[in-house]
């Protein structure tokens, strides 16, 4: 709240030095959130940055501080500063902290994993549905992530009609009958908004309820995938309007990301064996996590897997996110049938020159967690190949009928 912004760069530099000093003397402070750090204004006016730390009951003096302890502290600071500092200021803190570290990539990977874990836990698990906002006419309902309530209210969004009619930036990623996906900005954060509405004038009661449930189901599936330790975009809100049979879902953009489909089109698989192996292993882990817990995605295309590569790392050390979770479902019967469909969809949409047969076999071995396929596993692989061929024959008919140009545009 200090009005004089001239000292801001100095404070940013000092924050990075603060974390380094704590770790240099083997002190761990897992509650290093920005709200626990106070600045001495009098010292600041004399061009000197002096911090006062609060809430020290979890601070510990270690015999030798570990990488795990260090990245926990840094991730707490970065996560809590996300809504206060700009992206460039956060990058300055991270860059200065890691400067001079031995085995820098190992530190960065550990930090990134911790930041993802902290983000999911804070945004999804701790009371996400804390605020219900109802229109004055008692028609619309909004359920808002606790971390974005103040941001939405500050921008005049306090009802379903406000968000459903909010002006977007004009970019449409999907524009099908009854559904659109667009983007807009709030406080310099890009968000995706998916709207569901009647594709025709007259609807049955059952059809009305189905449209209302679309956004709710996708919200639930975001929480579900997070519990399965699958990275997903942070959900901001969902809502519905019974009177107009409409629903809406808003998620935060995954910065510096690109779809797996686009990466494969550009031949972007790592050439190094170990990095390539890790790339394939992370995709297999997503499929395995879903199917082992008796869930299926039903739209498991490469276009629905995003690969994040921030300034800390390059494409050889990515983080994978699963999107378009509306159709994720729990399976009671025919579990292998749906698993075959999911993997066949992935296989079909990864049909690019950079993906070899060895890569596909490696994926299946990682998926089954075996070094050699059993008889039943070989049968399943044959089913996947047959299903892939059926999809290949069927897709052109669907595209022609719906007048669209890519399979990831339809649900």
């Amino acid at each position: 709240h200090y009005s004089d912004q001239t000292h801001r760069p100095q404070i940013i530099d000092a924050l990075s030095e603060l974390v380094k000093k704590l770790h240099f003397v083997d002190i761990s402070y897992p509650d290093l959130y920005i709200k626990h750090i106070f600045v001495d204004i009098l010292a600041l006016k004399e061009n000197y940055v002096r911090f006062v730390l609060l809430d020290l009951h979890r601070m510990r003096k270690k015999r030798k501080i570990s990488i795990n302890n260090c990245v926990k502290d840094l991730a707490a600071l970065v996560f809590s500063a996300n809504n206060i500092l700009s992206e460039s200021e956060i990058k300055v803190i991270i860059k200065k902290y890691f400067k001079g570290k031995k085995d820098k990539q190992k530190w960065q990977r550990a930090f990134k994993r911790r930041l993802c874990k902290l983000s999911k836990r804070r945004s999804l698990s701790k009371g996400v549905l804390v605020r219900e906002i109802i229109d004055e006419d008692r028609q619309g309902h909004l359920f808002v992530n606790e971390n974005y309530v103040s941001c939405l209210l500050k921008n005049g969004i306090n009802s379903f009609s406000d968000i459903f009619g909010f002006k977007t930036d004009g970019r449409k990623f999907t524009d099908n009958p009854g559904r659109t996906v667009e983007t807009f900005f709030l406080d310099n954060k890009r968000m995706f908004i998916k709207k569901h509405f009647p594709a025709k004038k007259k609807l049955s009661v059952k059809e009305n309820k189905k449209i209302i449930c679309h956004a709710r189901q996708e919200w639930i599936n975001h929480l579900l995938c997070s519990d399965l330790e699958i990275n997903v975009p942070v959900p901001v809100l969902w809502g519905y309007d019974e009177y107009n049979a409409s629903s809406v879902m808003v998620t935060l953009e995954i910065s510096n990301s690109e779809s797996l489909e686009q990466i494969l089109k550009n031949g972007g698989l790592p050439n190094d064996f170990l990095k390539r192996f890790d790339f394939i292993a992370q995709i297999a882990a997503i499929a395995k996590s879903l199917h082992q817990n008796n869930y299926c995605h039903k739209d498991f295309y490469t276009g629905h897997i995003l690969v994040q590569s921030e300034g800390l790392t390059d494409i050889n050390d990515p983080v994978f996110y699963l999107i378009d979770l509306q159709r994720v479902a729990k399976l009671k019967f025919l579990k292998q049938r749906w698993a075959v469909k999911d993997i066949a969809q992935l296989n079909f949409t990864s049909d690019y020159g950079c993906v070899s047969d060895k890569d596909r076999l490696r994926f299946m071995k990682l998926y089954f967690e075996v070094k050699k396929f059993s008889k039943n596993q070989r049968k399943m692989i044959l089913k996947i190949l047959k299903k892939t061929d059926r999809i290949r024959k069927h897709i052109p008919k669907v595209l022609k009928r719906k007048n669209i140009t890519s399979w990831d545009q339809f649900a």
Side-chain angles (χ1 to χ4, degrees):
H1 299 292
Y2 185 52
S3 58
D4 187 357
Q5 296 294 306
T6 56
H7 297 288
R8 193 176 177 98
Q10 193 178 356
I11 294 171
I12 301 302
D13 288 343
L15 274 173
S16 181
E17 288 300 319
L18 171 67
V19 187
K20 289 181 81 169
K21 284 178 182 177
L22 286 172
H23 295 164
F24 182 76
V25 294
D26 297 316
I27 290 177
S28 169
Y29 183 21
D31 286 327
L32 191 63
Y33 301 115
I34 203 108
K35 65 181 179 180
H36 294 156
I37 305 172
F38 280 62
V39 181
D40 188 334
I41 300 298
L42 294 177
L44 198 61
K45 288 178 179 178
E46 295 177 5
N47 208 31
Y48 173 72
V49 181
R50 179 174 175 269
F51 291 121
V52 179
L53 303 182
L54 303 183
D55 200 6
L56 307 178
H57 73 284
R58 293 180 67 199
M59 182 180 277
R60 295 288 184 273
K61 177 74 171 72
K62 304 279 186 179
R63 181 175 295 177
K64 186 176 180 182
I65 195 165
S66 65
I67 292 179
N68 189 41
N69 290 134
C70 291
V71 297
K72 275 187 177 182
D73 296 353
L74 185 63
L77 177 65
V78 169
F79 174 74
S80 62
N82 195 38
N83 291 325
I84 300 168
L85 303 181
S86 67
E87 189 174 344
S88 60
E89 287 171 333
I90 288 174
K91 283 183 177 179
V92 167
I93 294 173
I94 295 168
K95 187 177 179 180
K96 291 201 171 186
Y97 178 83
F98 286 120
K99 187 177 180 180
K101 293 281 187 190
K102 292 181 180 179
D103 203 359
K104 193 175 178 180
Q105 286 192 344
K106 182 180 179 182
W107 281 77
Q108 290 171 342
R109 284 195 295 269
F111 166 71
K112 207 167 187 181
R113 285 195 298 269
R114 178 62 188 176
L115 194 60
C116 284
K117 188 175 181 181
L118 187 61
S119 179
K120 286 190 293 181
R121 182 199 300 168
R122 287 285 173 182
S123 297
L124 304 178
S125 302
K126 292 197 174 182
V128 194
L129 307 177
V130 296
R131 181 69 62 92
E132 180 182 10
I133 304 174
I134 307 174
D135 281 351
E136 291 179 3
D137 54 11
R138 308 295 292 179
Q139 292 172 5
H141 302 254
L142 278 187
F143 298 89
V144 183
N145 182 326
E146 61 179 355
N147 294 314
Y148 296 93
V149 171
S150 59
C151 173
L152 292 165
L153 294 176
K154 184 173 72 174
N155 286 277
I157 300 172
N158 54 20
S159 67
F160 177 85
S161 55
D162 288 336
I163 188 63
F164 200 81
F166 195 79
K167 187 178 180 181
T168 62
D169 59 11
R171 296 182 65 187
K172 287 190 176 182
F173 290 82
T174 302
D175 191 10
N176 290 342
R179 177 166 62 92
T180 64
V181 178
E182 301 172 77
T183 58
F184 65 93
F185 284 87
L186 282 185
D187 292 351
N188 296 321
K189 293 186 183 298
R190 192 171 181 224
M191 301 188 182
F192 284 79
I193 178 167
K194 184 184 282 189
K195 301 176 184 177
H196 301 275
F197 46 84
K200 54 186 180 180
K201 290 184 178 179
K202 291 185 179 180
L203 295 177
S204 65
V205 175
K206 186 177 180 180
E207 286 173 322
N208 269 344
K209 287 183 177 179
K210 191 174 181 180
I211 292 173
I212 289 169
C213 287
H214 284 330
R216 179 178 180 271
Q217 189 59 51
E218 188 158 4
W219 179 277
I220 290 170
N221 289 340
H222 272 75
L223 304 183
L224 163 72
C225 287
S226 182
D227 287 340
L228 297 178
E229 296 187 351
I230 297 172
N231 293 323
V232 293
V234 174
V236 176
L237 65 83
W238 78 276
Y240 66 93
D241 181 350
E242 291 176 314
Y243 183 76
N244 294 306
S246 306
S247 63
V248 67
M249 171 80 183
V250 175
T251 56
L252 200 64
E253 179 198 31
I254 301 166
S255 60
N256 302 311
S257 65
E258 193 175 15
S259 73
L260 178 60
E261 180 185 23
Q262 195 60 42
I263 289 170
L264 296 180
K265 273 184 183 178
N266 299 331
L269 274 178
N271 292 320
D272 180 81
F273 174 77
L274 290 177
K275 291 178 179 178
R276 195 182 187 96
F277 182 88
D278 181 62
F279 195 99
I280 296 168
Q282 288 195 57
I283 303 168
I286 294 173
K288 184 170 63 177
S289 183
L290 280 172
H291 298 159
Q292 283 185 348
N293 289 281
N294 299 325
Y295 288 94
C296 68
H297 189 277
K298 295 189 178 180
D299 286 319
F300 201 54
Y301 306 118
T302 53
H304 294 156
I305 298 174
L306 295 187
V307 185
Q308 185 185 51
S309 173
E310 299 200 26
L312 299 175
T313 52
D314 56 23
I315 196 63
N316 294 323
D317 187 23
V319 177
F320 288 79
Y321 288 81
L322 192 61
I323 63 170
D324 200 8
L325 308 175
Q326 181 187 324
R327 298 180 66 200
V328 172
K330 177 85 171 178
L331 301 175
K332 293 182 179 178
F333 308 104
L334 303 173
K335 296 172 186 177
Q336 191 188 84
R337 176 176 176 265
W338 283 105
V340 165
K341 280 190 173 185
D342 273 359
I343 299 174
Q345 288 170 346
L346 183 70
N347 188 40
F348 170 66
T349 54
S350 63
D351 192 13
Y352 297 100
C354 65
V355 184
S356 66
D357 290 339
K358 284 185 178 180
D359 292 329
R360 298 177 198 278
L361 288 172
R362 189 170 293 123
F363 171 88
M364 293 309 303
K365 285 181 179 179
L366 290 165
Y367 175 80
F368 288 127
E369 296 181 308
V370 296
K371 291 185 178 180
K372 188 176 180 181
F373 298 121
S374 67
K375 186 178 180 180
N376 288 335
Q377 287 166 351
R378 288 177 183 275
K379 283 183 180 179
M380 184 174 172
I381 291 171
L382 288 174
K383 289 179 183 178
I384 291 168
L385 293 174
K386 287 179 182 178
K387 181 62 182 176
T388 304
D389 288 336
R390 287 199 294 273
I391 293 173
R392 190 175 285 111
K393 292 174 184 176
H394 181 64
I395 283 293
K397 298 176 185 176
V398 176
L399 295 178
K400 187 177 180 180
R401 186 173 72 243
K402 296 201 172 190
N403 194 29
I404 52 182
T405 57
S406 176
W407 50 81
D408 64 357
Q409 291 182 21
F410 65 89

